[in-house]
Structure formats: structure tokens, C-alpha cells
Amino acid sequence: MIQQFADWLIYDTIGLEPTSQLGAAVNFFVYDTIKIVILLFFISILMGIINAYFPIERLRNYLTSRRLYGLQYLMASFFGAITPFCSCSSIPLFIGFVNGGIPLGVTFAFLITSPLVNEVAVAMFLGSFGLNATLIYVASGIVLGTLGGIILGKMRLEPYLSDWVKQMQRQSTRQNADWESEKVSFLNRLPAIIADAMRILKGVILYIIIGIGIGAAMHGYVPEGFFETYLASGDWWSVPLAVVLAVPMYANAAGIVPVIQVFVAKGVPLGTAIAFMMGVVGLSIPEATMLKKVMTWRLIGIFFGVVTLFFIISGYIFNWLL
């Protein structure tokens, strides 16, 4: 429905050509902006309801005090794999987790895996590269999210969350305590929950627009000849170069699979092509821009650095296995 509205507005009403770079970019901007704003609003309401009725403090204490042997990271990574989100669409749920006080490493496990693996991309990957490559890709996405969450969780990065998030966490904790002590009913809590969701949306809307605007400007621009020239050599440096070159790009996994198929057909090693794919969907300038409202630049740099290293290692392993 959102895509139909964007098509009607940009192509039928405004009159831009679907085949033009400008038309595709503006259509992408309108579609993604509406989609992510709606996602953020309703996820914020859902997380507000959960925080109001679910003993989130007990869950937080359970996750931080019990020896779960990494299962919490694996579960978060698996949840990311079954959610059909791109990197920017995953951020509203990430914000909800952080605002609810879920340990940061667990939320990172979700954020890493969610854009990498989804059912549409898996189906396309299966048709393009076969069962063995698909199974390795899906397993590696979940493993990357799990290990990334564990490593980032061990680094104790909570102090590098933004002041905005810390204030939201404190306010949510105080409000829930007041509701519990006064036995406030759901109907009386709902207006405050909706108001909190609107406040969250208002706080990040500028970053959403800037991030999606950057992504829209880059959308559809994949200079295949350039990548073929530098990535098809099979040299040791081609894998890290693929990840670095992918960061300015922005697409979801389903949108980049056909491009990867072209790369492989033109001689780019599959592992190098997959490293590029991971960089496109898991690391992007629009994602960093949107995360700025939630994290300090130092935390964004640590997150991107760890994930980049993981993607490079995965590219080498894929080239070795396949």
C-alpha cells in the first residue's frame, strides 16, 4: 500500500519517470520515509505497552545477572533473521529495545543480523547461488550477529549511548513505577504511551529524513564496471576493499542480490561479492546518520569497526569454502 501510494504520488501525480534516476530516488525517499515513520511510531507504542506491563527491570536483571552462555545473543540474532527489515527499518525496533533497557550487546545482535538475513533475500539467494551457499550465508549471518553482540556487550558501551536515550530510559522507569504504585488502568496509561511515542518520533524524525535522503541519493547507483575492475582480481585486498566500497551504498538484501549475481557472473569471487553485499545492507551512511540520535559518534565508530572486521573475515571464509 505504501509503495502504491509512493508510485501514484511520484509517477502519476508529480510526473517523474520511473526509469529516471531522479524518479527512482524520490520514490525511494517517499516510500522509506513513510514506512520507517509508521514503524517507529507503532513499535514505540508497542514497546511502551510492554514496558508498562511487563516486568522489564526483572528481564534486564535476569539477562545481566544469569549465565545464559550466549543464548540471549543467539535468540536476538535469530529474531533479527526472521524480521524482514533493512538496516534503517531495524533501527526503530533497536530504539525500542534500548529504551526498554535491554542490554546493549543483545540489541546489537539483533541490529547486525536483521538486515543481513530475511526470507525474501534467502529465497533469491537460493535461486541464484544454490542450497550450499544459501545455508552458509544464513548461518554466517546469525553467527555474525551472535558473536558481534557478545563482543560489543563485553565492551560495556552503555556510557556511550546518547543523552537523549538515557533521559528516555530514566523517564520511562519513573513513569512505570508511578503507574504501578497508583494502579493506573490501561486506558488511562494509553494517552501517555502514545505521547511518549510521539516524543520519540519527534526526537528522531530529522535524523530519519537526513538518513533516508542520503540513501535515496545513492539508490540505484551501482557502477558495476568499477567494481568488476577492482574486485574480480581475487587479490587479498579485494575483500576489505569490497566492504569499504559498500558503506556509501544503501539497499536491502533483496535489492542487492541481483547485483551480486551480476558481479559473480563477471568474475568477482563469491566470497568477495557476499562481503560487498553484507557491507551494503549491514553498514551504510544512512544507518549511521539515523543511529546518531541514539549513540555517540564513538559508539557508532566502535560498532561499525567491529562489524566491518567481521564482514571482511566472512568474505575470506566464503572464498575459502566456496
Side-chain angles (χ1 to χ4, degrees), residues 52-206:
Y53 286 96
F54 190 78
I56 196 71
E57 189 67 33
R58 188 181 304 170
L59 174 62
R60 183 163 59 243
N61 292 338
Y62 182 85
L63 291 175
T64 55
S65 63
R66 297 295 183 91
R67 293 183 61 85
L68 299 177
Y69 302 100
L71 288 178
Q72 68 272 36
Y73 301 101
L74 179 61
M75 292 173 62
S77 184
F78 182 77
F79 179 62
I82 63 175
T83 53
F85 297 148
C86 63
S87 59
C88 289
S89 299
S90 302
I91 291 176
L93 198 53
F94 176 84
I95 292 173
F97 288 163
V98 173
N99 190 42
I102 301 300
L104 194 55
V106 177
T107 62
F108 274 132
F110 165 82
L111 186 62
I112 293 170
T113 306
S114 182
L116 290 181
V117 183
N118 64 65
E119 63 274 16
V120 176
V122 168
M124 296 177 66
F125 209 89
L126 181 63
S128 300
F129 302 112
L131 180 60
N132 288 340
T134 302
L135 290 176
I136 294 173
Y137 174 71
V138 172
S140 67
I142 295 174
V143 170
L144 283 176
T146 303
L147 293 179
I150 291 173
I151 292 173
L152 291 166
K154 295 294 184 183
M155 296 174 72
R156 308 293 183 186
L157 299 171
E158 283 78 6
Y160 300 116
L161 289 170
S162 69
D163 293 335
W164 178 77
V165 168
K166 295 176 183 177
Q167 181 181 359
M168 294 293 295
Q169 289 176 334
R170 289 192 297 267
Q171 181 177 348
S172 178
T173 301
R174 287 196 303 268
Q175 187 176 61
N176 292 340
D178 292 341
W179 283 343
E180 286 299 318
S181 64
E182 298 173 9
K183 305 296 182 183
V184 179
S185 68
F186 173 74
L187 289 179
N188 289 329
R189 297 184 189 194
L190 189 57
I193 292 173
I194 295 175
D196 286 342
M198 290 298 298
R199 184 161 56 251
I200 292 173
L201 181 60
K202 183 179 178 181
V204 301
I205 187 66
L206 177 62

Side-chain angles (χ1 to χ4, degrees), residues 7-18 20 23:
D7 292 344
W8 168 81
L9 177 65
I10 303 305
Y11 302 142
D12 297 337
T13 304
I14 298 179
L16 296 178
E17 290 294 328
S20 68

